[in-house]
Amino acid sequence: MADPASYRPQAGEIPTNPGVYRFRDPHGRVIYVGKAKNLRSRLNSYFANPAGLLPKTHAMVHAASSVEWTVVGSELESLQLEYTWIKEFKPRFNVMFRDDKSYPYLAVTMGEKYPRVQVLRGERRKGTRYFGPYTAGAIRDTMDTLLRVFPVRSCSAGVLKRAEASGRPCLLGYIDKCSAPCVGRISAEDHRALAEDFCTFMGGEAKPFVTRLEKEMAAAVAELDYERAARIRDDIVALKKVFERNAVVLAEGTDADVFALHEDELEAAVQVFHVRGGRIRGQRGWVVEKVEDFTTPDLVEHLLQQVYGEEAESQGRLPREVLVPTEPSNAAELAEWLSGLRGARVDIRVPQRGDKAALLSTVRDNAEHALKLHKSRRAGDLTMRSQALQELQEALDLPMALMRIECFDISHVQGTNVVGSMVVVEDGLPKKSDYRKFSISGAAANDDTAAMHDVLTRRFRNYLQEKAEHADAAAQPGHLAALTAAADAAVAGPAGARTDTTTPALRARFAYPPNLVVVDGGKPQVNAAARALAELGVDDVYVVGLAKRLEEVWLPDSDFPVILPRASAGLYLLQRIRDEAHRFAISFHRQKRGKAMTVSALDSVPGLGASKRKALLAQFGSVKSIKAATAAELTVAKGIGPSLAEAIVRHFGQEDAAGPPALQAINMTTGEILET
């Protein structure tokens, strides 16, 4: 890693104009592209105090070996140049929004002699009208339905030539889903007019066609031509089906793209609904990995920059409105840039109320579901799990396969109610039956490293104890028969009998050690965990730590971390295990904290369990009434016998005899406790 001071520009070299800058690594590759209103101010922020930078920015300036800049005339030009360079160099420290697939459009090739309806992806073609984008299933259904009413040619050029040469139409011509201009059933002019009607309908004008067909159906009925009337009726149903599929969600004439996102610490899912003429015409989605420390406005800016930059290059149509969940950074310059791409004004807005805000909420729900689906698919894929385990084994240079991984985390609030968690993954999948919770108190609760040392010590002390019990049992004569008999008794014991589960074969809570221990934290936590294992003499378990700052993997007594690729399946597995341990620890901490906040005076009464406490409170209504009751009155409550009633009276009598705690005088100005 390079020292940023080694390539820092000299004082006064950097201009104060707006511009775009590039960081390059030792191999000359561009690793980051950024823009600035004032180049000197922005670039100096990278070098003034590198230790104070955000984690990923810190990693970027240490991975770079040089920086260069280009002065531009305005902030708008810097926005355009930044997009151009990001697209050209694809820097690894810039956020890149990538579609998981190319979305299909319904296209009509009006530039041909016989216009053709087809599904197209990729680059736009001159002389072709596009509608969409659609999902793959929806576009096929829409096309198949509309060809009943508008039998436009949909065959390829080769099929068209063969039909013209043979004088016979293709199958679609025989089933009335093509007007067969290839064999002269319809003239080229009439076929083009049919294609124009198709485009008009797809543009949102459906009522004129439905009205015309209804009149034709009525005329057919009047002429007693019921077969023709039935066909027209089916055509009307087909048109209404397509029309209703694109339901009106906003006012007629509204052209807008509605963006929403759902994000966590590692990834963000983005969804957009394309609304044209007030109807949802298509939907797209992206899942982006967070490489930079972006705020939500920065994320929205880069999203619009990349999405509409690509659409402009492919001659896509930009909408009049862009609805976003948060106003992007440099909103004015971004709106000006989009207006230039569209050739007309584009407004970027954050809807606050009404139909647009409701639609934005729907898009946000879709983004949330998309992120959950993305994570569940990655977690549930067997190939991905196998790849992740293999990548981890190779990256950590471990001699054995990672059949079992245990991850530990500590949770507390300012040192109170300190707890630990242990989650287990076997063959890449969680094994929740082996999850464990640890309550931490005393000196171990002073800091995270001491708590981690305590948890690892307790976990592996139990393992060693059970291992010793197994060894002792194995050394005794007839141990196999004894274990088999104990197991049989546990399975086939008499009804209601309490079986003995203290046999080592049946009580094996910690007997199976992991291949790898993962701790949530960096170098201090890893060293504390390794020290705990060394003190117990455990030398066949490997320890690593996953630090949240840069997602680095730390090894014991190592000065440098192991850096796994951001797209690594092994890193994703470690992150998922770490997040699960964190969730499990927090849930236990909240449970423990909740119990601590609801302590009752009845909890300290010896022999008084939870059910009997509930019975007393149900009978007397409050602790004050219970304290005032006699032993005879207490026995009225369910489950309270004479001896327990006497114990309750005696307990509260001792408290009363002790009296209330002595009051201390406090200086209300300084908060000092005064001696009395």
Side-chain angles (χ1 to χ4, degrees):
M1 298 178 70
D3 183 359
S6 65
Y7 64 90
R8 178 177 184 174
Q10 297 296 320
E13 285 185 349
I14 310 175
T16 57
N17 308 69
V20 183
Y21 55 91
R22 292 176 288 183
F23 281 87
R24 292 182 181 270
D25 65 9
H27 302 285
R29 292 174 297 188
V30 176
I31 60 173
Y32 184 75
V33 174
K35 65 179 183 300
K37 298 178 182 178
N38 185 320
L39 282 170
R40 180 181 298 176
S41 175
R42 173 62 61 84
L43 288 177
N44 281 338
S45 68
Y46 290 104
F47 300 103
N49 181 21
L53 295 173
L54 293 172
K56 295 181 178 64
T57 309
H58 181 277
M60 185 272 294
V61 297
H62 283 81
S65 62
S66 64
V67 62
E68 56 192 34
W69 55 85
T70 300
V71 175
V72 296
S74 66
E75 294 179 40
L76 177 60
E77 291 180 15
S78 70
L79 185 73
Q80 295 170 326
L81 183 57
E82 182 193 32
Y83 166 73
T84 302
W85 278 354
I86 289 176
K87 182 173 179 61
E88 179 182 353
F89 299 114
K90 296 180 173 56
R92 67 185 182 95
F93 283 97
N94 283 91
V95 165
M96 300 296 292
F97 291 87
R98 294 184 177 90
D99 252 328
D100 58 345
K101 55 184 174 294
S102 173
Y103 281 77
Y105 286 79
L106 193 59
V108 184
T109 57
M110 299 301 294
E112 298 184 24
K113 178 182 178 182
Y114 301 124
R116 176 189 177 192
V117 176
Q118 60 183 321
V119 176
L120 288 180
R121 301 175 186 262
E123 296 293 327
R124 300 293 181 98
R125 303 176 185 178
K126 188 176 181 180
T128 301
R129 297 187 188 178
Y130 290 86
F131 304 94
Y134 294 87
T135 58
I139 195 170
R140 299 292 177 184
D141 291 343
T142 299
M143 179 175 168
D144 185 66
T145 303
L146 288 180
L147 288 180
R148 290 179 50 91
V149 186
F150 306 101
V152 182
R153 170 203 159 209
S154 59
C155 61
S156 65
V159 174
L160 178 67
K161 288 181 180 179
R162 285 197 298 271
E164 288 177 330
S166 65
R168 292 181 300 175
C170 64
L171 176 62
L172 294 175
Y174 283 110
I175 63 175
D176 296 329
K177 285 196 173 181
C178 178
S179 54
C182 53
V183 294
R185 287 187 185 175
I186 186 174
S187 67
E189 293 75 17
D190 290 341
H191 183 269
R192 179 169 294 276
L194 194 62
E196 290 285 357
D197 288 345
F198 182 95
C199 294
T200 302
F201 179 86
M202 291 301 300
E205 299 181 26
K207 284 189 176 181
F209 298 101
V210 174
T211 302
R212 187 187 69 191
L213 289 175
E214 287 176 344
K215 290 180 179 179
E216 291 180 6
M217 183 177 66
V221 170
E223 297 173 2
L224 304 182
D225 190 352
Y226 296 113
E227 291 184 2
R228 179 167 170 265
R231 287 196 299 270
I232 297 174
R233 177 203 61 197
D234 294 341
D235 291 345
I236 294 173
V237 171
L239 285 184
K240 288 183 176 179
K241 180 181 177 182
V242 173
F243 192 66
E244 290 170 358
R245 184 178 296 157
N246 296 324
V248 176
V249 292
L250 297 177
E252 291 282 350
T254 300
D255 287 353
D257 284 349
V258 187
F259 289 88
L261 57 89
H262 184 76
E263 56 185 314
D264 59 17
E265 295 178 354
L266 303 175
E267 294 175 307
V270 180
Q271 289 281 312
V272 57
F273 280 11
H274 301 280
V275 179
R276 300 294 183 268
R279 292 175 171 81
I280 298 175
R281 296 296 185 186
Q283 174 187 6
R284 295 179 69 183
W286 303 265
V287 175
V288 62
E289 180 187 356
K290 289 186 174 181
V291 183
E292 301 169 82
D293 289 291
F294 271 159
T295 62
T296 302
D298 293 334
L299 206 59
V300 172
E301 178 193 340
H302 281 74
L303 169 68
L304 300 184
Q305 187 185 42
Q306 293 185 34
V307 170
Y308 289 123
E310 292 174 0
E311 287 201 5
E313 291 174 3
S314 59
Q315 302 179 354
R317 179 187 172 209
L318 275 69
R320 287 193 291 265
E321 282 185 282
V322 177
L323 306 180
V324 292
T326 305
E327 186 174 275
S329 305
N330 300 319
E333 291 78 12
L334 192 60
E336 184 179 353
W337 179 61
L338 294 179
S339 299
L341 295 179
R342 181 173 181 262
R345 180 175 175 179
V346 175
D347 294 324
I348 302 175
R349 297 177 180 174
V350 181
Q352 302 294 333
R353 61 184 65 86
D355 294 339
K356 293 179 180 178
L359 182 58
L360 180 65
S361 178
T362 301
V363 182
R364 187 182 298 112
D365 291 341
N366 279 266
E368 182 178 355
H369 293 314
L371 186 60
K372 289 180 179 178
L373 181 61
H374 168 74
K375 289 185 175 294
S376 65
R377 280 179 174 173
R378 288 193 64 178
D381 187 86
L382 178 60
T383 304
M384 185 65 70
R385 294 201 311 271
S386 301
Q387 180 184 347
L389 293 172
Q390 184 176 357
E391 284 184 8
L392 272 183
Q393 182 183 350
E394 293 174 355
L396 302 176
D397 196 21
L398 301 179
M400 82 290 287
L402 298 177
M403 303 300 295
R404 179 182 172 100
I405 303 174
E406 294 180 1
C407 184
F408 296 82
D409 187 26
I410 305 298
S411 181
H412 60 84
V413 174
Q414 296 182 346
T416 62
N417 298 311
V418 184
V419 300
S421 68
M422 180 186 99
V423 300
V424 180
V425 169
E426 289 190 357
D427 296 328
L429 290 175
K431 189 179 181 183
K432 295 193 175 183
S433 60
D434 283 6
Y435 284 20
R436 295 292 180 265
K437 304 172 183 176
F438 300 86
S439 292
I440 305 169
S441 58
N446 291 338
D447 61 81
D448 284 355
T449 55
M452 187 65 72
H453 182 278
D454 180 70
V455 168
L456 268 294
T457 299
R458 290 159 61 185
R459 185 263 180 267
F460 284 94
R461 185 189 295 132
N462 279 292
Y463 155 61
L464 294 175
Q465 181 181 351
E466 293 178 13
K467 184 178 179 182
E469 290 175 358
H470 278 273
D472 291 342
Q476 296 174 1
H479 71 282
L480 182 60
L483 295 181
T484 304
D488 292 341
V491 175
R498 182 174 181 177
T499 57
D500 179 17
T501 58
T502 60
T503 307
L506 302 178
R507 183 181 52 81
R509 297 179 57 205
F510 292 102
Y512 181 27
N515 305 114
L516 179 67
V517 165
V518 180
V519 298
D520 181 18
K523 190 174 180 179
Q525 286 80 5
V526 172
N527 289 337
R531 189 171 67 254
L533 295 181
E535 290 171 357
L536 293 172
V538 178
D539 56 3
D540 57 348
V541 176
Y542 294 83
V543 182
V544 298
L546 184 62
K548 286 190 179 74
R549 287 172 58 84
L550 297 175
E551 304 299 315
E552 307 157 315
V553 179
W554 285 90
L555 303 177
D557 302 320
S558 176
D559 293 331
F560 300 99
V562 176
I563 305 297
L564 296 178
R566 292 289 302 180
S568 165
L571 178 60
Y572 181 78
L573 175 62
L574 286 181
Q575 291 168 339
R576 185 163 56 89
I577 298 172
R578 188 266 315 278
D579 293 344
E580 176 66 357
H582 189 58
R583 179 202 65 79
F584 195 52
I586 286 179
S587 63
F588 181 41
H589 168 75
R590 288 174 177 168
Q591 178 185 359
K592 187 176 181 181
R593 187 179 62 194
K595 287 183 178 179
M597 296 173 66
T598 57
V599 174
S600 168
L602 297 176
D603 294 345
S604 57
V605 179
L608 192 63
S611 60
K612 293 180 181 179
R613 288 198 297 269
K614 290 180 181 179
L616 282 171
L617 290 172
Q619 181 68 35
F620 293 95
S622 67
V623 175
K624 182 178 180 181
S625 300
I626 295 173
K627 288 182 176 181
T630 63
E633 292 172 340
L634 291 175
T635 57
V636 177
K638 182 179 179 181
I640 307 298
S643 59
L644 182 55
E646 291 290 345
I648 296 172
V649 172
R650 188 164 55 251
H651 175 80
F652 288 121
Q654 291 172 353
E655 282 189 355
D656 293 340
L663 298 177
Q664 294 178 307
I666 301 177
N667 186 327
M668 301 304 294
T669 303
T670 64
E672 180 184 4
I673 299 176
L674 304 177
E675 295 184 359
T676 57

